[in-house]
Amino acid sequence: MLVLVAAAAVGAPAARTSTASVTLTGGGLTMSNPSVRVVGRNPTELAVTAVVTDARGTGAGWFVSVAAYASGSATALPLVAASATTTCAGGSECTLPVDLVAYPATISAAGTQTTVFGAAPSSGLGAQTVDLRLVVPPADLGRLSLSFSVSTEL
């Protein structure tokens, strides 16, 4: 048995249109406190891990730099940034950065800021973990201090 039902809206009100507006503002560019651990000896190899979050929404790119200072050494031999890798940080969707730095990259041990990772424009959006490998020269550096920063400029 086939039953057809027809319905008509009688006296239904006309559709209404509403307008809503929203203002979206980007966040900032931040880097978590990097962790440094020794992963090799002779020469000393350091693994540096930090989370960089670019929530600006501009796609302008960013740069990680390090200032290294060796105290107690007669000669401050340069360090070397040997390589870098990135992954999306846990629980985050990101656009992985396209690195602008050519490795190996020499890092002065005299306290000068040196770029060790650079996210090209339109990359590095969201939160990503940056893993750097630094090689310390086989010399008596005494005490080595490393200071990391993230910025929008070289």
Side-chain angles (χ1 to χ4, degrees), residues 12-115:
R16 294 183 188 201
T17 303
S18 295
T19 303
S21 63
V22 64
T23 301
L24 299 175
T25 56
L29 176 64
T30 61
M31 180 172 59
S32 68
N33 292 329
S35 64
V36 179
R37 56 184 212 286
V38 176
V39 294
R41 301 257 187 221
N42 254 355
T44 301
E45 185 178 350
L46 305 175
V48 178
T49 301
V51 174
V52 175
T53 302
D54 184 356
R56 297 172 296 161
T58 64
W62 44 265
F63 303 93
V64 173
S65 59
V66 61
Y69 181 73
S71 61
S73 173
T75 59
L77 297 175
L79 287 73
V80 174
S83 65
T85 58
T86 57
T87 56
C88 286
S92 174
E93 289 187 26
C94 75
T95 302
L96 287 174
V98 175
D99 194 358
L100 298 171
V101 174
Y103 299 97
T106 302
I107 302 167
S108 167
T112 305
Q113 286 285 130
T114 303
T115 299

Side-chain angles (χ1 to χ4, degrees), residues 114-142:
T114 303
T115 299
V116 292
F117 191 91
S122 300
S123 74
L125 305 169
Q128 50 267 308
T129 301
V130 178
D131 293 302
L132 297 166
R133 293 295 174 149
L134 304 181
V135 178
V136 181
D140 179 18
L141 291 177

